[in-house]
Amino acid sequence: KQEVTQIPAALSVPEGENLVLNCSFTDSAIYNLQWFRQDPGKGLTSLLLIQSSQREQTSGRLNASLDKSSGRSTLYIAASQPGDSATYLCAVLSGGYQKVTFGTGTKLQVIP
Amino acid sequence: NAGVTQTPKFRVLKTGQSMTLLCAQDMNHEYMYWYRQDPGMGLRLIHYSVGEGTTAKGEVPDGYNVSRLKKQNFLLGLESAAPSQTSVYFCASHAREWNEQFFGPGTRLTVL
C-alpha cells in the first residue's frame, strides 16, 4: 500500500527565506506526483505536476523535483512571502485512478 | 470558466437524514472524483468516475453512492447520514489520463 509522508508537519520562516518542503512515498512505481496548496477553509490549488518520466518542474518561484528511485519529491520555494502561507500537500498517483494517495501536508507560515 | 463548483458549501444533518452533494465542472473533463478530508487523515478517495455513466469505488466508499448521468456533473449521495461522515468533501476532475487534478472549493458537512 502506498504511503505518503510530509515532513515537517509545520514550518515557520521569516519572509525572504528560501525553503524546501519534503514529500516521500513508499512505492516508487508512480505515474505522477502533484503538489497542491490549500488555504484555510478553501479547496486545493494545483501548483505543479511532475510526470514519472520527468525530474523537475518549475513555475515562477516554485521548483519541484522528483526522484522516483529514492521515493522523494521536494518543493523549493524561493524568496518566500507572507502570501505563501498555506498548507502544502503532495499527492501520488500509482496503480490506477483509484490509487491517488495524499500526504497530510506541511503547514507553512511566512512571517513578515 | 467557473472550473469545478460544489453545492452546497455548508450543511448540517441529523443522523439518519439523507442528502446529495453536487459537483459540476465546465472543462469537459472525463475523470471526476469525490474525496473527504479529515484532520490528521489527509484526503481519501470515496468514489470516482472515468466517464459519463461510469462510477467506481475508491478507498472509503461505504455509506456513499454516486451517479454520473451527465459528463459535467458528479453527484455524491448519503442515504442515511452518520456522525462519522462529518467531514469536508472535495470534488476534483481532470482531462486525460494521469493529468493535473482541479479541485472544487469543498462542502463542509456536519452530522449531529
Side-chain angles (χ1 to χ4, degrees), chain A residues 11-90:
Chain A
L11 182 63
S12 183
V13 300
E15 181 178 1
E17 200 164 284
N18 301 324
L19 58 99
V20 174
L21 305 181
N22 297 297
C23 173
S24 61
F25 46 94
T26 55
D27 183 354
S28 61
I30 67 170
Y31 292 100
N32 65 38
L33 184 146
Q34 193 168 357
W35 281 94
F36 295 90
R37 167 191 174 129
Q38 185 175 28
D39 294 289
K42 304 292 185 181
L44 281 69
T45 300
S46 177
L47 297 174
L48 291 163
L49 172 72
I50 309 178
Q51 302 291 355
S52 62
S53 58
Q54 298 173 320
R55 295 281 293 179
E56 65 177 333
Q57 283 285 339
T58 298
S59 176
R61 294 183 293 109
L62 305 179
N63 176 276
S65 66
L66 174 64
D67 185 343
K68 276 179 50 177
S69 61
S70 65
R72 291 182 181 180
S73 176
T74 61
L75 178 66
Y76 175 83
I77 302 176
S80 58
Q81 303 170 358
D84 294 330
S85 298
T87 296
Y88 291 80
L89 298 158
C90 67

Side-chain angles (χ1 to χ4, degrees), chain B residues 46-74:
Chain B
I46 305 171
H47 285 279
Y48 66 98
S49 168
V50 300
E52 181 179 320
T54 72
T55 63
K57 295 179 180 180
E59 181 184 356
V60 288
D62 294 341
Y64 305 95
N65 57 75
V66 288
S67 64
R68 183 98 182 268
L69 298 180
K70 294 183 179 181
K71 185 177 183 179
Q72 64 268 33
N73 295 338
F74 195 27

Side-chain angles (χ1 to χ4, degrees), chain B:
Chain B
N1 207 348
V4 180
T5 58
Q6 292 183 232
T7 308
K9 289 184 171 53
F10 303 93
R11 186 71 186 268
V12 178
L13 290 178
K14 294 181 180 179
T15 297
Q17 288 185 318
S18 64
M19 77 164 295
T20 300
L21 282 67
L22 170 64
C23 174
Q25 51 91 8
D26 61 1
M27 298 174 283
N28 202 35
H29 286 173
E30 289 291 336
Y31 305 87
M32 297 187 74
Y33 305 77
W34 275 108
Y35 295 93
R36 59 178 290 173
Q37 186 177 36
D38 303 289
M41 300 288 291
L43 278 90
R44 292 179 292 169
L45 182 64
I46 305 171
H47 285 279
Y48 66 98
S49 168
V50 300
E52 181 179 320
T54 72
T55 63
K57 295 179 180 180
E59 181 184 356
V60 288
D62 294 341
Y64 305 95
N65 57 75
V66 288
S67 64
R68 183 98 182 268
L69 298 180
K70 294 183 179 181
K71 185 177 183 179
Q72 64 268 33
N73 295 338
F74 195 27
L75 278 64
L76 178 71
L78 287 73
E79 290 186 349
S80 180
S84 61
Q85 294 178 303
T86 294
S87 186
V88 181
Y89 292 85
F90 288 102
C91 176
S93 70
H94 66 81
R96 302 185 308 277
E97 292 184 17
W98 323 131
N99 212 331
E100 182 181 13
Q101 283 197 329
F102 293 89
F103 277 75
T107 294
R108 187 173 296 274
L109 175 66
T110 301
V111 182
L112 302 176

